Amino acid sequence: MDQLRILLSRCIAFCHRKELDRDLDDELRSHIEFAIEENCRRGMSEEEARTAALCEFGGVTQIREEYRVQRSFPFVETLLRDIRYALRQLRDSPGFAVTAILTLAVGIGANVVTFSVLNGIVLRPLDVPHPENLLQIGDYESYPDYFDYQDRNQSFSGMLAYKVLSVGIGIDKSVSTSWGDAASGNYFDVLGLQPALGRFFHASDEHGLESAPYIVLGYDFWKRRFGASPHILGKVVTLNQHPFTVLGVAPHNFHGTDFFFWPDYWIPAVNAQQVTGWDDFDERRHRAFTLLGRLNPGITQQQATHDMGAIARQLAKQYSDDEGLTLTVHKPGPAGRRNDPTKQVLLVMTLLAVLVLVATCANLAGIFAARAANRSNELAICLAIGSSRWAVARQLLTEAVLVSLIGGINGTCFASLLLGTLSHWRPGDLPTHFLIAPDARVYLVAITLSITSGIAFALLPARQVWSTDVVQAIKGGYVFAGSLHRFAMRDALLLIQVAVCTLLVSSVLVAVRGMVQSLRAPLGIAPTDVTLAQVDLKVAGVPDPQSRIVQKRLLDTAAAIPGVTDAATSDYVPFLSAWVWSVYSWDTTQFSPSHVAFDALTYSVSPGYFQVAGTHLLSGRDFTPDDKPGAPTVAIVNMTFARRLFGTTRALGKRFKLFDPVKLKIIGVVEDGKYIDPGEDPQPTIFLAYAQGIGPYMVSSPITVLVRSPLPQDQIADALHHSLSQVVSTAPFSIVPWSGAIDRSMIPARTAALALGVMGLMAAMLAVTGILGMASYLVSKRMKEQGIRIALGARPFQVLHSTLKRPCLLLLAGLCLGLGASMLTDQLLTHIVSYASVRDPMILAAAMTMMTLLGLFAMAAPARRALAIDPAQLLRE
Amino acid sequence: MGEDKSDVLQGTLDLMVLKTLESMRSLHGYGIARRIEQVSNETIRLNQGSIYPALLRLEQRGWIKSEWGTSDNNRRAKYYSLSRIGRKQIEKETENWERIATTMARFLTTSR
């Protein structure tokens, strides 16, 4: 009770420090006056009375101090006083404050962004109970294999499978495209989830194909499409016109088991075939499912990999379709997948961010050391008039931590603004989410980084204070002891900084050049003025046999629109969607994975496609209406295809087989192009006649109508929508300009280039402030010496030479070191940026020029200062 | 003279202040210090200033309270008086001190 009361009273006293100080002074004064009065009454003179009173009282200052210590929290009060003093110091040297704060904001901001992305994508576990023992098995596996793995393994207590579906969902007669998961019956049970509403489907609900027409809604989808209605249970929705009963709603924070893709709903996998028409269940070749398993207690990931690998080898022996099957077990999500590009890009970014932080740290250390040197006189005087070394060091520490915190907070604020924007970014119509807004962990890291860097860089000047020779200091000039041997460290700091900055700057140049090059690379199509209208005939409920008729009607309708100069159809189109088939050479008789020549992108197009797309036919002929069922099956291939399969581009009349196997004769060769993203390497590509289909898959369900028209984009889009909707009214058309789709496919490359650009800018900034700091420090340190030299007749060049020789040499050495390092990281860089390399002499030259310019720019101000030295004034001082 | 005086024993000052305030009701810092010196027949060597940390200690515990007032000779001063808890506390503290004193006395008699 007493302790509590004391604490409370201390708190109150802390809030009224000034008032209480005044009170105490008044009280002590009245005490002394009482004493003087009494002493006078005893017959002392005024003077004697005062002396006696003070004597009886004891040390006034000590009592006051003792009183203060006991009154509230002396530590906090001292700290506040230090902070106030530090703020005053920073206000008095705004140049230093702004440089240091900006530098730190940059370094910490870059790291917060990178760490948030890393945290959101790699470190964040799936939002399910016990994510730590949930592992992904293989990359994409087939459903029959899944059953075998499930039955034969000893490592997992439960194993689930799922794949992503895109279907037309019908709710109260309105149909829209939506994305969901087809999952094994035990999906929710293995994950250990509880529904927010209703119930989940279970393995016991499945009794063979098409036996469980149930759907579980995602929480967000339920809110968005059903207004979070609790009466949704038992309602029937249609998926591609097939009825499904709503069983329940998934929990609020569960967004499926992929990291970016958030499904709208889940259906049992046994009913997926009914919806999509794809026979996934008996085909070991159709590897479309992601497998996750719960590890048995006591089993390690390595043991599980061993176990599953053995099963995969058994399966490979047993079934020809599983030939060469291998399997690894890894953490789910982008972090675990082998050769995951996201992971590689992230690693590079993290590396760069760490480099930025290293440069920041080197920079800050330089700035703080230079500042301590500039303040050497002031600090020495503090020591000389009785400040303890600890008090002076504490003051420096406070200042450094303050600067670091302000910088860190600024950097973090900026970073979270940037991340907020990124989190709301939705590329395309996929339900894709990036959960990368910084969380408590990220803020904690940011604060730790700030404080640690603050303390680390304050230690440097604090060490100088410790070893200061007070007498020397008062005499003036540069005084901190042992300054010479610390030169090595400062030099190293600048060297590291210049090297790191050169590395960053050259990375940026590579990125920029890569971007420019990839924009210049021929696309193999002329997308300007071409508009695409896409519809999924399966979603629209058009049965396969009729789709050729519907396709013809769509094509005729589009061609008849006034203002349309050319029209064609294709199933998939470059930059929007893609399909891949395995290619076999003509003499292959066994169609197992090991006999595949290569995989090729495949488009089923109507006659006239190349004209609309603007793709040049190099030899042979285009498709004609005569290429129909019953006629010999024909194909047009691109140059890469011809070169890969036949070793020559003269491929007319040559033949090959597709996976089914479909036998095809080449009737034309077209130019190479870009099909998925503008930075890709040349890919083998086949064009087939839409009317002829591919083996048993006579026609594919998605249809894209391509029209070329000089009309304004919105006008042609309206006209297309209006006319095509009259042909197919049961599913929505998505209408986009082709160039828009290409722009979208470039987002990843642009984002990477932008991120690199920002880092490069930071690096340039750090390089300038670092060199500036070092050079001005050298100038101020040698003011007196230079003054004497000038007085003795040194020419300006000689002065410059002697002051700036060192930073110049360091700049040069750092430059070489940085370029060497960037050569080593070339491999990593080419993963993100194609078309450019550090080894490019243009880039080398540009990086060198840029760093030299930055260096000269940074040294201009100190050089001016060195030249403006007035020996007379210096000597007077 | 110095030979006869002894320093204030650790922990006794608080009780002296409390007892002084009990008998004098309300008094300023100088008054309390003087009173302690007088009662001890000038045998205690008291740095008058040290009364203030003691007063703060007691006030923080809520045993005494203070307010500014005016003295007989019209001088502004801070007057201290016992609080309700303080009044109760005196008994406890007295008991405590007597127990220590008795114990000390016993030590002194047995070792004689």
Side-chain angles (χ1 to χ4, degrees):
Chain A
M1 192 62 195
D2 262 7
Q3 291 306 317
L4 198 71
R5 213 175 273 138
I6 292 172
L7 188 72
L8 193 72
S9 119
R10 279 182 187 234
C11 289
I12 295 171
F14 179 74
C15 300
H16 300 95
R17 295 188 303 279
K18 286 206 174 121
E19 208 178 309
L20 291 177
D21 275 347
R22 258 199 315 276
D23 257 21
L24 179 66
D25 286 347
D26 286 352
E27 196 174 3
L28 297 186
R29 199 176 307 119
S30 83
H31 182 114
I32 307 276
E33 278 162 7
F34 276 125
I36 295 173
E37 216 164 89
E38 194 171 333
N39 289 344
C40 287
R41 271 206 303 276
R42 284 188 199 151
M44 293 187 194
S45 72
E46 175 101 23
E47 193 58 39
E48 283 167 342
R50 175 171 298 275
T51 314
L54 286 173
C55 212
E56 281 159 7
F57 189 87
V60 177
T61 316
Q62 276 120 302
I63 295 292
R64 201 188 272 134
E65 225 19 67
E66 194 185 332
Y67 190 92
R68 272 207 193 121
V69 166
Q70 199 188 317
R71 190 182 61 196
S72 67
F73 308 102
F75 168 73
V76 182
E77 285 182 27
T78 317
L79 187 71
L80 281 181
R81 217 169 34 228
D82 279 350
I83 290 177
R84 264 200 306 275
Y85 182 72
L87 282 176
R88 246 194 334 266
Q89 284 290 332
L90 291 181
R91 201 188 51 204
D92 290 345
S93 42
F96 159 75
V98 170
T99 316
I101 287 171
L102 262 184
T103 307
L104 251 166
V106 164
I108 288 172
N111 275 274
V112 168
V113 170
T114 319
F115 187 72
S116 295
V117 175
L118 206 68
N119 185 40
I121 294 174
V122 181
L123 304 178
R124 183 172 59 98
L126 283 173
D127 220 343
V128 296
H130 304 291
E132 68 284 350
N133 63 15
L134 198 64
L135 291 175
Q136 185 174 339
I137 300 145
D139 286 341
Y140 290 104
E141 306 303 326
S142 71
Y143 215 67
D145 285 345
Y146 158 65
F147 282 132
D148 284 325
Y149 292 138
Q150 204 182 21
D151 294 344
R152 298 185 195 180
N153 87 83
Q154 309 283 323
S155 315
F156 294 93
S157 58
M159 196 186 284
L160 62 87
Y162 69 94
K163 69 166 185 173
V164 174
L165 293 181
S166 159
V167 300
I169 189 165
I171 300 163
D172 300 329
K173 289 188 182 144
S174 85
V175 178
S176 56
T177 309
S178 69
W179 297 81
D181 278 349
S184 55
N186 61 357
Y187 182 84
F188 295 104
D189 295 326
V190 171
L191 292 178
L193 294 168
Q194 291 301 320
L197 188 71
R199 72 173 185 94
F200 290 138
F201 50 78
H202 305 288
S204 54
D205 288 318
E206 298 180 334
H207 308 284
L209 278 182
E210 302 187 13
S211 61
Y214 305 127
I215 182 168
V216 169
L217 304 177
Y219 197 90
D220 295 346
F221 187 68
W222 174 55
K223 260 174 67 183
R224 197 168 67 237
R225 293 299 303 271
F226 298 97
S229 158
H231 308 299
I232 185 74
L233 301 179
K235 192 180 163 76
V236 173
V237 299
T238 62
L239 298 181
N240 286 359
Q241 317 290 335
H242 298 280
F244 279 75
T245 309
V246 176
L247 271 191
V249 176
H252 170 56
N253 51 3
F254 179 67
H255 304 291
T257 34
D258 285 306
F259 279 76
F260 303 124
F261 170 70
W262 292 15
D264 289 336
Y265 55 83
W266 292 264
I267 61 166
V270 286
N271 277 61
Q273 185 178 353
Q274 178 187 24
V275 178
T276 59
W278 279 100
D279 169 20
D280 271 338
F281 292 86
D282 320 317
E283 281 286 353
R284 282 186 194 271
R285 299 173 183 200
H286 288 183
R287 303 217 171 115
F289 286 86
T290 306
L291 269 48
L292 296 177
R294 283 264 184 220
L295 266 189
N296 272 324
I299 303 282
T300 63
Q301 186 174 332
Q302 205 178 1
Q303 285 167 328
T305 298
H306 190 73
D307 181 19
M308 300 309 293
I311 300 173
R313 280 193 295 280
Q314 281 173 18
L315 293 176
K317 271 189 211 141
Q318 213 170 337
Y319 305 102
S320 62
D321 285 345
D322 278 344
E323 214 181 84
L325 187 69
T326 55
L327 206 59
T328 58
V329 171
H330 46 83
K331 288 262 172 241
R337 202 158 279 180
R338 275 172 296 166
N339 303 323
D340 189 322
T342 328
K343 193 180 166 191
Q344 283 170 350
V345 171
L346 271 177
L347 278 179
V348 175
M349 296 303 291
T350 312
L351 201 75
L352 291 180
V354 170
L355 283 180
V356 169
L357 192 69
V358 170
T360 311
C361 290
N363 198 326
L364 272 181
I367 295 175
F368 274 109
R371 176 166 164 80
N374 282 337
R375 285 174 61 188
S376 62
N377 270 330
E378 172 205 333
L379 296 178
I381 289 168
C382 282
L383 290 180
I385 60 174
S387 250
S388 69
R389 277 167 207 268
W390 162 236
V392 174
R394 195 187 56 209
Q395 180 58 49
L396 286 174
L397 194 73
T398 312
E399 210 175 292
V401 171
L402 201 67
V403 166
S404 307
L405 270 181
I406 298 176
I409 289 168
N410 276 321
T412 314
C413 287
F414 176 71
S416 49
L417 270 178
L418 192 78
L419 288 168
T421 324
L422 257 170
S423 288
H424 288 107
W425 181 48
R426 304 266 177 284
D429 53 356
L430 268 169
T432 308
H433 297 257
F434 295 93
L435 252 194
I436 49 173
D439 58 9
R441 200 147 55 140
V442 173
Y443 287 123
L444 200 73
V445 169
I447 290 175
T448 316
L449 272 180
S450 329
I451 295 181
T452 328
S453 48
I455 292 175
F457 303 118
L459 287 182
L460 208 75
R463 224 183 63 181
Q464 292 180 343
V465 170
W466 227 253
S467 46
T468 300
D469 179 348
V470 179
V471 181
Q472 275 294 315
I474 300 294
K475 277 196 209 153
Y478 183 71
V479 286
F480 283 138
S483 61
L484 272 175
H485 76 255
R486 241 185 329 275
F487 245 111
M489 189 179 73
R490 226 193 305 279
D491 288 353
L493 284 177
L494 188 68
L495 196 72
I496 292 170
Q497 202 181 322
V498 173
V500 168
C501 292
T502 311
L503 176 60
L504 285 166
V505 165
S506 55
S507 312
V508 176
L509 289 171
V510 169
V512 171
R513 188 161 165 79
M515 273 300 295
V516 172
Q517 298 276 59
S518 74
L519 284 175
R520 275 198 203 142
L523 292 174
I525 53 171
T528 323
D529 289 341
V530 178
T531 305
L532 310 173
Q534 256 188 332
V535 70
D536 193 315
L537 294 183
K538 202 143 254 151
V539 171
V542 177
D544 262 2
Q546 275 181 33
S547 51
R548 203 179 309 141
I549 303 162
V550 174
Q551 175 260 352
K552 185 83 180 80
R553 290 225 319 259
L554 285 173
L555 177 57
D556 293 343
T557 311
I561 294 173
V564 168
T565 53
D566 290 298
T569 67
S570 174
D571 53 349
Y572 299 94
V573 280
F575 295 105
L576 222 62
S577 46
W579 196 256
V580 174
W581 283 101
S582 299
V583 175
Y584 298 88
S585 63
W586 184 249
D587 42 5
T588 305
T589 49
Q590 273 203 309
F591 295 91
S592 58
S594 59
H595 290 84
V596 172
F598 51 80
D599 289 340
L601 290 170
T602 311
Y603 300 98
S604 291
V605 302
S606 71
Y609 166 83
F610 298 109
Q611 200 176 341
V612 181
T615 304
H616 298 294
L617 192 64
L618 301 176
S619 60
R621 64 166 176 92
D622 190 1
F623 297 117
T624 64
D626 290 336
D627 299 314
K628 57 191 179 198
T633 44
V634 290
I636 295 173
V637 298
N638 71 351
M639 284 161 64
T640 305
F641 182 98
R643 219 176 280 128
R644 293 262 308 259
L645 198 59
F646 309 112
T648 166
T649 52
R650 298 163 161 323
L652 284 188
K654 291 189 194 288
R655 290 175 298 178
F656 64 96
K657 290 174 183 170
L658 279 190
F659 176 33
D660 282 315
V662 179
K663 301 179 173 73
L664 291 156
K665 187 180 158 196
I666 295 171
I667 55 160
V669 177
V670 292
E671 62 176 327
D672 278 344
K674 304 291 170 194
Y675 304 97
I676 308 221
D677 79 83
E680 73 193 15
D681 293 328
Q683 304 205 55
T685 304
I686 313 167
F687 296 90
L688 303 171
Y690 187 92
Q692 292 186 319
I694 309 163
Y697 307 99
M698 277 310 291
V699 270
S700 316
S701 59
I703 275 285
T704 309
V705 181
L706 304 90
V707 297
R708 183 172 279 283
S709 163
L711 292 181
Q713 169 54 34
D714 45 349
Q715 205 175 325
I716 190 73
D718 285 348
L720 268 175
H721 190 263
H722 179 74
S723 343
L724 298 183
S725 296
Q726 287 177 339
V727 181
V728 176
S729 55
T730 43
F733 278 88
S734 99
I735 298 176
V736 288
W738 207 354
S739 41
I742 295 170
D743 281 349
R744 208 163 64 195
S745 74
M746 289 174 73
I747 288 175
R750 283 193 177 140
T751 314
L754 184 75
L756 277 173
V758 171
M759 297 242 184
L761 209 68
M762 291 173 183
M765 219 182 90
L766 290 175
V768 169
T769 52
I771 299 168
L772 181 80
M774 169 76 170
S776 26
Y777 164 71
L778 282 178
V779 169
S780 68
K781 188 184 86 72
R782 297 173 62 184
M783 277 292 218
K784 205 158 224 174
E785 178 199 335
Q786 297 302 336
I788 295 169
R789 289 170 68 121
I790 292 173
L792 292 177
R795 289 164 190 281
F797 172 76
Q798 289 168 317
V799 174
L800 279 186
H801 180 258
S802 68
T803 36
L804 297 180
K805 191 176 81 187
R806 199 177 197 102
C808 280
L809 279 176
L810 285 173
L811 179 66
L812 208 66
L815 192 66
C816 294
L817 210 67
L819 286 178
S822 57
M823 293 280 193
L824 292 179
T825 54
D826 196 33
Q827 284 274 311
L828 268 175
L829 258 181
T830 38
H831 272 301
I832 338 179
V833 188
S834 21
Y835 284 110
S837 153
V838 183
R839 291 163 204 277
D840 186 340
M842 276 260 292
I843 286 180
L844 279 179
M848 260 152 64
T849 319
M850 198 160 155
M851 287 307 289
T852 314
L853 284 177
L854 286 176
L856 289 178
F857 172 68
M859 271 184 271
R864 257 209 321 273
R865 225 175 108 201
L867 289 178
I869 292 173
D870 177 2
Q873 195 184 339
L874 264 179
L875 292 174
R876 258 203 309 282
E877 275 174 10
Chain B
M1 167 180 116
E3 298 303 304
D4 309 334
K5 282 200 176 184
S6 54
D7 284 328
V8 180
L9 206 58
Q10 190 76 39
T12 53
L13 187 59
D14 289 5
L15 184 53
M16 288 187 216
V17 172
L18 288 176
K19 286 305 272 187
T20 308
L21 287 179
E22 193 184 29
S23 57
M24 304 297 292
R25 309 213 127 214
S26 159
L27 205 55
H28 46 68
Y30 177 72
I32 298 170
R34 280 299 296 148
R35 172 85 186 162
I36 289 173
E37 284 171 345
Q38 282 162 3
V39 170
S40 74
N41 278 330
E42 315 277 340
T43 55
I44 284 181
R45 190 188 302 139
L46 179 70
N47 260 344
Q48 286 181 0
S50 60
I51 201 86
Y52 289 97
L55 284 170
L56 177 64
R57 203 157 48 231
L58 295 172
E59 201 173 5
Q60 279 177 330
R61 287 179 187 164
W63 296 355
I64 61 171
K65 51 195 183 186
S66 66
E67 60 184 345
W68 285 93
T70 323
S71 71
D72 302 336
N73 47 10
N74 228 1
R75 199 177 287 289
R76 223 170 81 84
K78 205 175 194 178
Y79 281 84
Y80 294 88
S81 56
L82 278 178
S83 70
R84 213 161 38 79
I85 327 172
R87 227 170 274 284
K88 277 190 215 148
Q89 201 62 33
I90 288 184
E91 271 171 48
K92 263 193 227 163
E93 293 288 304
T94 314
E95 240 169 61
N96 206 8
W97 176 247
E98 275 168 355
R99 202 170 47 245
I100 294 169
T102 323
T103 314
M104 274 315 292
R106 203 173 296 146
F107 265 104
L108 296 176
T109 47
T110 47
S111 48
R112 200 170 264 170

